[in-house]
Amino acid sequence: MMTGITGYDYEYLWALYLKCKGYAAKVTSKSGDEGADVIAIKDYTRIAYQCKLYSKQVGRKAIYEVHAGKDTYKCSKAIVVTNNTFTKPAIETAQKLSVGLLPNKTPERLIEACSRSYKEGTINPKDELFLQLPVAIQKAIIHGDRATSEKMNENAVRDGNGEVCEKNKIVEIPVIEKNDDMRQKHQINEIQKRNGFSSDKSYAVKNDKSMKTEKICPICGREFFEHSAMCPICKCRLVDLGNKKIVKENKASNNDIKTEKKKRRKRLYFCIGIAVFIYASLLVMYSEPEESVYTEKIQVTASSKDLKGNHYADALKILQEAGFEDIDLIEDADLMFGLLKQDGEVGEVSINGKISFEKYEFFPKDAKIRITYHTFKPEFRSSEVGNDNFQEEEKEGVVEYDTLQNLFLILSYDTTMESIDSFISDNNLEFTKEEYNGTPKKYVYKIAYEPGVALQRYADSGDYVEVCFSQYDGFFLYAEYFNNSAFMDALLYNYGTHWDFRESEPNNSYSGYYYSKPGKFDGLIIEHINGSSSQTSYHPCNNAEEALLHVIVSQ
């Protein structure tokens, strides 16, 4: 095993290795890491790694630590990586807890893999993970030689700035003037004594008469002559150029000095202007009229550009989930053939008259919102499907239900999250599960055939089933099947916040099955606690099959 490398160095080396493999990786804090040293993310999978640089086999303790760290950092997988192997009890424990094991990941093998990635251009020498590694390991990665890191580690000394250099090489020490602080001079002398340098020169040289006057790059180890100022490989400047730099600056022309002063003055004025602009922007942003001090404000979860172009029903749902209540839908009957713009496509959204707003911008909860959407002119509209047609088509034959429709049919008020997980697993369906701040807070499943449709927001078009449970007690709140072709949905409502429904207890007067055509508010009238009422697009049904047939036959 490479000598001189610490456990923390091994963690950063493993994180850099993961980054070479396409992961987004970061190292947790040195103290209080809660059982996970490195957190990596790839393809929506979050993994917790426990790194063990041991001279003996790794025991069960590491397995328990990373298993606890997986829950702490909300990861889906937990893996222990080591340069050694694992004991038999550790392997058995890992199998029980579903913890992955990666043995024999020695620093030499990781350096060799990172070196190949460096030659391919996938590692940036200025990357934060790369800079956290010891200089000896950085050189080994750049030069592609595992033996180089061991040699540099054995011969390493440090200068006053903490930079590492080889023995028998020049280390730049800052020049001490006569009127410099004595404490600083004492610190420089201590550094020279510790590394074996003579202290009577402006730069420190190891006691070797045959040595040439050279400098070394603190990153890649390339040797410089004194007139050089930048490494041609990693573009790293020398830490200090010593007396020669001072002599060159003293010989600079007056024109160069004036030009430098002008540049500095311009940069100063630019910084002052930016500061003034930021200060003025903050004053305008947070200044409010006195009467609006106590007005409750909420954030809009999508910008005006995000809402424009979507179907008005999607825009309406986004704004209602954000907490806005005063929303009007306005038809703009300007379509003839629907080639350039679709029927129901949002043309403009205004909040209190403001038609251009950014995501997460604050507005009063009672703000007036107007959603203007495109639709066909009356003479170009097709006739809608009537209730009589629905009854005739229903009698023609038995309807065959697909997997998502069968899921909606088996749902009830007693449905649990475990049963949903089992159904998804048995039928290999795509899904997402997210937390929302509703009343009450809720877990929301979105289940579909394709991954893009299963995304919670701004998803691709397609059929899906949305099932919601309370975060407090896990009780069923509601389930909604959406038919993309008919643009209609079937709903099983129990309680909680869903569109115009606001019931706080299960089995209330509005609990039951419904079908809906989003945007057509000709259905159930809901009476609110404050005495007001609103007409919704939901029509009551006797059972799940009746609600589903309305949605399927209407497509």
Side-chain angles (χ1 to χ4, degrees):
M1 184 180 70
M2 182 187 299
T3 59
I5 184 172
T6 66
Y8 297 129
D9 299 335
Y10 186 65
E11 294 172 8
Y12 280 102
L13 184 59
W14 177 251
L16 183 64
Y17 172 79
L18 291 176
K19 195 168 185 179
C20 296
K21 298 299 181 181
Y23 287 83
K26 70 173 182 177
V27 179
T28 59
S29 60
K30 292 183 179 181
S31 61
D33 57 16
E34 301 296 339
D37 298 323
V38 177
I39 304 299
I41 302 174
K42 185 178 180 181
D43 297 333
Y44 303 101
T45 302
R46 188 179 178 94
I47 308 174
Y49 288 94
Q50 176 71 265
C51 302
K52 294 296 182 183
L53 184 66
Y54 277 11
S55 58
K56 58 182 181 179
Q57 288 185 316
V58 180
R60 291 184 295 180
K61 181 180 178 181
I63 309 301
Y64 292 127
E65 289 177 351
V66 74
H67 185 262
K70 181 185 74 171
D71 298 332
T72 302
Y73 290 96
K74 298 182 179 180
C75 299
S76 57
K77 293 183 180 180
I79 298 175
V80 180
V81 58
T82 180
N83 62 313
N84 213 307
T85 58
F86 296 90
T87 63
K88 186 176 180 180
I91 296 174
E92 294 175 353
T93 304
Q95 291 176 349
K96 293 179 181 179
L97 300 179
S98 299
V99 174
L101 302 179
L102 294 177
N104 301 320
K105 297 297 183 180
T106 62
E108 291 81 359
R109 293 178 61 185
L110 298 181
I111 290 173
E112 186 176 0
C114 292
S115 179
R116 290 194 298 267
S117 298
Y118 177 83
K119 292 178 181 179
E120 294 172 358
T122 57
I123 293 182
N124 185 357
K126 296 184 180 180
D127 188 276
E128 181 178 357
L129 294 175
F130 183 82
L131 295 177
Q132 291 293 338
L133 294 172
V135 176
I137 298 180
Q138 295 177 6
K139 291 181 180 180
I141 293 175
I142 293 175
H143 293 297
D145 185 6
R146 288 187 293 179
T148 302
S149 61
E150 295 181 355
K151 180 180 177 181
M152 291 297 296
N153 193 50
E154 294 172 358
N155 298 330
V157 294
R158 292 186 178 271
D159 63 5
N161 296 317
E163 300 292 340
V164 176
C165 63
E166 293 181 357
K167 290 181 181 179
N168 298 330
K169 299 295 180 181
I170 289 180
V171 180
E172 293 295 338
I173 301 298
V175 179
I176 303 297
E177 301 293 344
K178 291 182 179 181
N179 56 354
D180 279 351
D181 187 82
M182 292 303 296
R183 182 179 180 183
Q184 182 184 9
K185 185 174 182 180
H186 175 71
Q187 293 176 349
I188 298 298
N189 290 336
E190 288 297 324
I191 295 170
Q192 293 172 341
K193 291 177 182 179
R194 184 168 60 251
N195 291 329
F197 298 111
S198 58
S199 59
D200 57 345
K201 297 182 180 181
S202 60
Y203 53 87
V205 183
K206 294 295 288 186
N207 297 324
D208 187 355
K209 295 182 180 180
S210 62
M211 182 183 59
K212 295 182 179 181
T213 303
E214 321 177 299
K215 298 177 183 178
I216 187 169
C217 174
I219 299 299
C220 66
R222 182 179 175 85
E223 296 178 352
F224 289 74
F225 290 105
E226 287 192 1
H227 66 274
S228 300
M230 180 179 292
C231 175
I233 295 179
C234 61
K235 307 302 181 183
C236 176
R237 289 186 176 274
L238 291 175
V239 176
D240 193 353
L241 296 180
N243 284 338
K244 290 188 175 294
K245 181 178 180 181
I246 297 174
V247 172
K248 288 184 179 180
E249 289 181 353
N250 291 337
K251 292 181 179 181
S253 63
N254 292 332
N255 292 333
D256 294 338
I257 296 175
K258 291 180 180 179
T259 302
E260 183 65 24
K261 287 183 177 180
K262 288 181 179 179
K263 290 181 179 179
R264 292 181 180 178
R265 192 180 297 111
K266 289 181 179 179
R267 287 195 292 267
L268 177 61
Y269 292 158
F270 178 77
C271 293
I272 293 174
I274 292 295
V276 172
F277 175 77
I278 294 175
Y279 179 74
S281 300
L282 292 175
L283 287 178
V284 173
M285 185 182 301
Y286 291 102
S287 61
E288 302 176 354
E290 292 184 0
E291 62 271 10
S292 64
V293 171
Y294 299 101
T295 302
E296 182 182 359
K297 289 194 172 185
I298 55 178
Q299 286 180 310
V300 61
T301 54
S303 65
S304 56
K305 293 182 179 179
D306 295 335
L307 296 174
K308 188 176 181 180
N310 290 331
H311 196 275
Y312 69 88
D314 294 334
L316 178 64
K317 185 175 182 180
I318 291 172
L319 294 172
Q320 286 183 334
E321 288 182 349
F324 296 101
E325 298 176 352
D326 192 0
I327 304 176
D328 291 336
L329 296 175
I330 302 175
E331 291 186 358
D332 184 9
D334 59 347
L335 300 181
M336 297 176 62
F337 304 104
L339 298 178
L340 299 179
K341 298 177 182 178
Q342 301 296 322
D343 185 21
E345 180 180 332
V346 175
E348 183 182 275
V349 178
S350 65
I351 304 179
N352 282 344
K354 188 176 182 179
I355 62 174
S356 178
F357 50 88
E358 299 297 328
K359 188 177 181 180
Y360 300 129
E361 190 172 346
F362 283 91
F363 290 94
K365 185 176 181 180
D366 57 353
K368 183 69 174 180
I369 299 179
R370 297 165 62 93
I371 301 177
T372 304
Y373 63 93
H374 302 282
T375 187
F376 288 100
K377 295 181 179 180
E379 59 269 26
F380 291 94
R381 295 179 184 176
S382 59
S383 59
E384 298 179 354
V385 179
N387 195 38
D388 295 335
N389 293 337
F390 162 74
Q391 295 177 355
E392 293 176 1
E393 292 180 7
E394 183 182 4
K395 296 178 181 178
E396 290 179 0
V398 178
V399 178
E400 294 184 1
Y401 300 106
D402 61 18
T403 304
L404 293 179
Q405 294 162 0
N406 282 323
L407 172 60
F408 180 82
L409 290 174
I410 66 174
L411 293 173
S412 66
Y413 300 150
D414 298 326
T415 300
T416 63
M417 287 189 286
E418 288 77 10
S419 63
I420 295 297
D421 292 333
S422 177
F423 186 92
I424 292 172
S425 177
D426 295 340
N427 293 276
N428 296 322
L429 296 173
E430 296 290 339
F431 77 103
T432 55
K433 179 183 177 182
E434 292 187 5
E435 298 180 8
Y436 282 88
N437 288 326
T439 306
K441 291 185 177 181
K442 54 190 177 181
Y443 289 111
V444 179
Y445 285 82
K446 192 167 185 181
I447 309 166
Y449 292 109
E450 302 293 336
V453 182
L455 295 174
Q456 288 289 354
R457 297 194 176 194
Y458 312 114
D460 298 336
S461 59
D463 295 357
Y464 65 83
V465 173
E466 186 176 285
V467 188
C468 181
F469 297 89
S470 171
Q471 287 189 30
Y472 299 133
D473 48 22
F475 287 167
F476 175 87
L477 296 179
Y478 63 84
E480 188 174 22
Y481 166 78
F482 178 75
N483 187 320
N484 183 67
S485 300
F487 204 82
M488 295 181 65
D489 52 32
L491 171 69
L492 170 58
Y493 177 76
N494 189 13
Y495 73 102
T497 301
H498 179 71
W499 295 91
D500 291 328
F501 296 104
R502 297 287 190 275
E503 302 305 311
S504 58
E505 296 293 334
N507 297 321
N508 54 79
S509 59
Y510 296 110
S511 297
Y513 290 93
Y514 301 86
Y515 76 91
S516 168
K517 178 72 174 178
K520 295 188 64 176
F521 301 99
D522 56 352
L524 179 69
I525 298 177
I526 294 180
E527 301 293 335
H528 299 290
I529 299 176
N530 59 6
S532 62
S533 61
S534 59
Q535 189 170 17
T536 69
S537 61
Y538 287 95
H539 300 265
C541 296
N542 294 322
N543 50 54
E545 189 170 8
E546 179 182 348
L548 202 58
L549 285 174
H550 277 278
V551 176
I552 297 174
V553 176
S554 297
Q555 65 182 357

